[in-house]
């Protein structure tokens, strides 16, 4: 199988290169992201392999179909960046439904601990021998109420971590799971009662802008918000307005509405034209990271393994256990 591997970073090759050789795949690593301008590079390949900030819309599906590309191999669980309906009966879409839920949950906790205890600021201060504690006061997590929205694989891992901190965990999910050490409540109740809210639901038509001026109004003053799921869960301008009013104790964002083309790139020498992103960066109690919750050795290895197993199954007519079908699309 010939695979056009879009959006290649050096760390992608660590596992994909040797494992791809073992399978006998011909993987062509392309640095460019997959988009309307670069889709033509897939000509002559059997499959394309893409990540979260690549996209494939209906027009590109038709182009790929004409080029006889048979599959889109997603190196991610989420598939909101592919027009799955347009691909029906034309191109097979395969994903990695789970690689390391713990990696993302642990990162969500790291964001919370950092933005609460301000260790990122303390690190910079002590490097300059500024040992003052002014402005570095945090809050205990012990016995605080934490709302987890979405109790799938990552939400459940987060609940386990939060229980280790002896917090009281509330959760919301339209499909509750039995046996969790957490109390299911309505979304309204969760917004009203939580000292900390962590988002772990997928991006769907129901969850887009779940955090907006109306839901923010229901939250406690001083609430902490962590988003490691998808940027579009938050209405960024409403978040900024609330930040200006002093509503939030702290906000940790690993994802952002307009992250495509910015996250995963070195933009340190560029003029930032996204005013919302620039504004968010100015708040001392907002911490932004570049969609890296998944980024552990274990997760990267698992992503390569499952992506290539998907390709192998397709090539050999085996059951496609990780196929994304139009019936799974909610956006
Ligand atoms: P999952 O499918 O196991 O769980 C998602 C849960 O959300 C399910 O239980 C589902 O019922 C629930 N849900 C659906 N609609 C909901 C709604 N309207 N309100 C509340 N809950 C709802 O997925 P997962 O593996 O736990 O991943 C969760 C999300 O994390 C993914 O969709 C992805 O966006 C994000 N993610 C981020 C990173 C990262 O690096 N930051 C990595 C992997 C996944």
């Amino acid at each position: 199988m010939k695979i056009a591997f879009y959006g290649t970073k050096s760390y992608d090759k660590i596992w994909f290169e040797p494992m791809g050789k073992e399978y006998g795949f011909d993987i062509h690593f392309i640095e460019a992201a997959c988009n309307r301008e670069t889709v033509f590079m897939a000509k002559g390949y059997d499959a394309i392999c893409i990540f979260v900030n690549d996209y494939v819309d209906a027009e590109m599906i038709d182009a790929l179909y004409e080029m006889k590309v048979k599959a889109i191999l997603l190196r991610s669980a989420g598939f909101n960046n592919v027009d799955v309906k347009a691909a029906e009966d034309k191109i097979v879409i395969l994903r990695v439904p789970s690689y390391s839920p713990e990696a993302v949950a642990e990162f969500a906790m790291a964001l919370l601990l950092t933005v609460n205890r301000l260790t990122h600021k303390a690190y910079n201060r002590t490097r300059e021998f500024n040992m003052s504690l002014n402005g570095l006061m945090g809050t205990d997590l012990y016995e605080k109420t934490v709302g987890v929205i979405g109790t799938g694989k990552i939400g459940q891992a987060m609940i386990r971590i939060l229980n280790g901190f002896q917090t009281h965990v509330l959760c919301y999910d339209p499909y509750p799971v039995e046996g969790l050490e957490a109390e299911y409540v309505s979304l309204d109740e969760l917004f009203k009662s939580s000292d900390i809210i962590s988002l772990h639901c997928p991006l769907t038509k129901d969850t887009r802008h779940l955090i907006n001026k109306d839901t923010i109004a229901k939250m406690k003053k001083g609430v902490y918000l962590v988003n490691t799921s998808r940027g579009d869960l938050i209405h960024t301008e409403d978040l900024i307005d609330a930040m200006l009013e002093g509503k939030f104790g702290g906000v940790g964002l690993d994802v952002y509405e307009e992250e495509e083309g910015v996250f995963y790139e070195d933009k340190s020498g560029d003029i930032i034209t996204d005013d919302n992103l620039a504004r968010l960066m100015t708040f001392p109690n907002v911490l932004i990271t570049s969609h890296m919750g998944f980024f552990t050795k274990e997760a990267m290895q698992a992503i390569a393994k499952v992506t290539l197993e998907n390709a192998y199954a397709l090539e050999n007519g085996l059951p496609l256990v990780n196929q994304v079908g139009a019936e799974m699309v909610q956006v």
Side-chain angles (χ1 to χ4, degrees):
M1 183 182 282
K2 289 183 76 179
I3 302 171
F5 192 106
Y6 281 96
T8 308
K9 305 288 181 210
S10 55
Y11 46 78
D12 288 313
K13 290 187 180 175
I14 298 172
W15 283 283
F16 271 100
E17 215 160 37
M19 284 190 201
K21 275 189 192 139
E22 279 175 31
Y23 275 106
F25 294 144
D26 177 2
I27 304 180
H28 179 54
F29 292 98
I30 301 167
E31 277 184 30
C34 183
N35 54 41
R36 283 190 183 183
E37 282 73 49
T38 59
V39 69
F40 71 92
M41 295 167 97
K43 196 169 171 54
Y45 290 90
D46 303 302
I48 63 166
C49 186
I50 65 169
F51 196 46
V52 291
N53 286 337
D54 298 298
Y55 70 85
V56 182
D57 61 16
E59 194 178 300
M60 292 161 69
I61 292 279
D62 286 339
L64 290 169
Y65 185 62
E66 269 188 29
M67 288 186 259
K68 300 196 170 30
V69 173
K70 291 189 234 14
I72 297 172
L73 304 170
L74 287 162
R75 312 196 283 280
S76 63
F79 46 84
N80 54 290
N81 49 337
V82 177
D83 193 327
V84 177
K85 285 190 177 149
E88 211 177 0
D89 303 324
K90 289 183 180 160
I91 296 182
V92 174
I93 302 166
L94 296 157
R95 67 172 180 144
V96 184
S98 174
Y99 31 94
S100 173
E102 284 73 20
V104 184
E106 286 169 14
F107 193 80
M109 194 47 155
L111 277 182
L112 173 60
L113 287 171
T114 310
V115 83
N116 172 26
R117 301 303 301 269
L118 304 155
T119 41
H120 57 310
K121 289 183 180 294
Y123 170 78
N124 283 329
R125 273 194 199 181
T126 52
R127 279 162 63 87
E128 294 193 356
F129 285 91
N130 174 356
M131 302 300 186
S132 149
L133 298 185
N134 288 332
L136 297 185
M137 198 186 307
T139 55
D140 285 7
L141 295 186
Y142 176 65
E143 290 191 337
K144 289 290 184 305
T145 299
V146 187
V148 171
I149 300 182
T151 56
K153 292 176 286 295
I154 297 171
Q156 288 179 38
M158 187 64 176
I159 290 169
R160 287 192 291 274
I161 292 171
L162 288 166
N163 280 317
F165 280 79
Q166 297 183 55
T167 58
H168 175 219
V169 187
L170 303 179
C171 56
Y172 171 77
D173 193 307
Y175 304 98
V177 180
E178 274 179 31
L180 298 186
E181 220 181 307
E183 182 190 345
Y184 278 104
V185 293
S186 69
L187 206 45
D188 265 8
E189 177 64 36
L190 186 148
F191 285 137
K192 242 174 41 202
S193 307
S194 300
D195 302 302
I196 296 148
I197 295 173
S198 193
L199 307 180
H200 299 288
C201 55
L203 175 63
T204 68
K205 65 175 180 358
D206 294 332
T207 60
R208 185 179 295 276
H209 293 168
L210 177 74
I211 305 300
N212 58 51
K213 66 176 185 321
D214 298 329
T215 52
I216 292 171
K218 293 176 188 167
M219 296 177 196
K220 288 185 181 179
K221 188 166 165 60
V223 63
Y224 282 75
L225 176 68
V226 175
N227 186 10
T228 54
S229 255
R230 283 291 180 270
D232 295 54
L233 297 181
I234 298 180
H235 189 295
T236 307
E237 277 157 19
D238 288 357
L239 176 71
I240 291 172
D241 289 344
M243 291 297 309
L244 289 167
E245 289 164 12
K247 177 86 185 191
F248 289 94
V251 175
L253 303 175
D254 187 43
V255 287
Y256 170 65
E257 266 191 295
E258 304 292 333
E259 68 180 53
E260 189 201 316
V262 180
F263 281 24
Y264 301 141
E265 306 303 329
D266 179 359
K267 297 279 176 190
S268 54
D270 293 4
I271 288 168
I272 299 301
T273 52
D274 181 336
D275 287 348
N276 284 339
L277 183 58
R279 189 70 182 95
L280 281 173
M281 296 285 188
T282 67
F283 294 111
N285 54 346
V286 173
L287 178 61
I288 299 177
T289 52
S290 185
H291 202 146
M292 59 179 288
F294 70 98
F295 200 44
T296 65
K297 289 176 189 161
E298 292 81 356
M300 291 299 285
Q301 189 169 12
I303 288 171
K305 182 173 175 288
V306 178
T307 305
L308 296 173
E309 280 171 1
N310 287 341
Y312 181 82
L314 181 69
E315 192 174 47
N316 292 283
L318 302 174
L320 300 177
V321 289
N322 295 324
Q323 185 164 4
V324 180
E327 74 289 350
M328 293 161 73
V329 179
Q330 291 177 301
V331 181

